Each structure stands twice: as C-alpha cells, then as structure tokens.
Amino acid sequence: NVPEQDADTTDTLPLEQDALSSGEEELMLEETGNEEALLGSAANSFKIEGTVLKEYTGTGGIVTIPGTVTEIGDYAFQNCTGIQSVVIPSSVKKIGYRAFDGCTGMRTLTLNSGLVTISNYAFEDCIAISSVTIPNTVVEMGNNAFDSCTALRQVTIGSKVKTIGSYCFSNTAITGITV
C-alpha cells in the first residue's frame, strides 16, 4: 500500500542497479493537479496523462514501461534511436499508431499478456528486432505493424489474433512464423 499524498508532492525513489546504471540515477514521480506524471531516469523518462504514456523523454538503453500505464499513445517513442530494449507490462492494452516507429536501435521487445491491440505502423522501421512473440491476449495487429523490421526473422503469434493488417510483416527477413 502506498500512502496518499498531496497533489503537489514529489517522491524520489532509488532505481535498482542494472548493467547500464551507475547506481546514482533516481526515479522521480511527480503528481500534478491535471493528472499528468513525469517519471524519470536516464533511460526511463515519460510523460503520462492519466494512464496513457504520451511521450518518452529518456536517453535510451533499457526501457521498462511503468505498470500503471494502460496505453502507449500515438508517436510516444517515434524515432527514439537510442532505445535498445523495451519491456511492455501486462497493464498495457493498446500500443498506439507509430508508437515505436523508427526505433532503429531496439534489439529486444517484450510484449506481455494483457495486450489486446497493436496499432498501424506501431513498430515500423525497428530494424534491429530479430524475433517477436505476440501474446495470446492480442486480438488485432494493425496494417504495417512490423513493416520494414529488416532483421525480423522469427514471429510467434498468439492463438486469439483475429486480424492481421495488410503488410503487417512486409519488408522483413521472416523465415518462420509459429501460431
């Protein structure tokens, strides 16, 4: 349980040390009257409105989306070339239009159960991703969702997917798809 706080308070919580962390970074949570939150460290800096992650303002590296986020907004990470790895938690139900388009440095993408919709062009031009597993909870994959992911070779698609949009895996190096 987290104690209730005034809307104008700011808490600073230490981050767990990882391979890219110097141990000196801090995670900041700022609550404002208009329901916006800024979460920050060198890799994990976000502008969040309500439960929608609207914008990534970090420097790249390993990015973990906070568990309070239910939607990743349109263009939220577009052209963030310094991102190497993204973990999307089970709280996220939708990944928006072009949310990760052009994240050319992203090698690892972890999509967890709970995700329902991957919108059009969500991961277009993520040229370093070599494999992806679409969780069983995903129902819709939009047009061009993984278009031009030129290193993408292996895809596992969950059993509940009903719609795979046009050109979803166009311009990839896919050698195998498992359903």
Side-chain angles (χ1 to χ4, degrees):
N1 286 338
V2 178
E4 290 187 13
Q5 299 177 356
D6 293 332
D8 294 329
T9 61
T10 300
D11 287 339
T12 303
L13 306 169
L15 279 177
E16 292 181 21
Q17 193 163 358
D18 62 31
L20 295 178
S21 173
S22 67
E24 297 176 12
E25 296 174 341
E26 295 178 337
L27 178 65
M28 298 286 293
L29 171 58
E30 181 180 327
E31 295 182 43
T32 61
N34 63 359
E35 297 299 319
E36 287 187 11
L38 295 174
L39 297 175
S41 77
N44 293 310
S45 295
F46 311 101
K47 179 179 179 187
I48 298 172
E49 295 177 12
T51 60
V52 179
L53 192 157
K54 293 290 206 175
E55 182 181 3
Y56 175 71
T57 58
T59 58
I62 299 170
V63 176
T64 301
I65 309 296
T68 56
V69 171
T70 62
E71 181 178 338
I72 298 172
D74 298 348
Y75 308 103
F77 290 81
Q78 188 178 38
N79 296 321
C80 293
T81 58
I83 293 174
Q84 298 171 358
S85 175
V86 173
V87 177
I88 298 175
S90 59
S91 61
V92 173
K93 306 298 178 216
K94 179 182 179 185
I95 298 173
Y97 178 78
R98 293 193 182 274
F100 292 91
D101 174 27
C103 293
T104 57
M106 186 188 336
R107 289 185 218 115
T108 307
L109 172 62
T110 305
L111 303 172
N112 283 297
S113 290
L115 183 62
V116 176
T117 302
I118 300 173
S119 297
N120 296 344
Y121 301 94
F123 297 98
E124 183 183 41
D125 290 321
C126 292
I127 61 173
I129 296 173
S130 61
S131 67
V132 67
T133 298
I134 308 301
N136 284 329
T137 53
V138 171
V139 175
E140 178 182 5
M141 298 172 61
N143 298 336
N144 303 80
F146 291 91
D147 183 14
S148 298
C149 293
T150 54
L152 185 58
R153 297 189 187 297
Q154 185 63 43
V155 177
T156 301
I157 299 176
S159 60
K160 293 189 179 178
V161 172
K162 293 180 180 175
T163 304
I164 297 176
S166 300
Y167 306 103
C168 188
F169 296 104
S170 177
N171 301 309
T172 63
I174 290 179
T175 58
I177 294 179
T178 305
V179 179

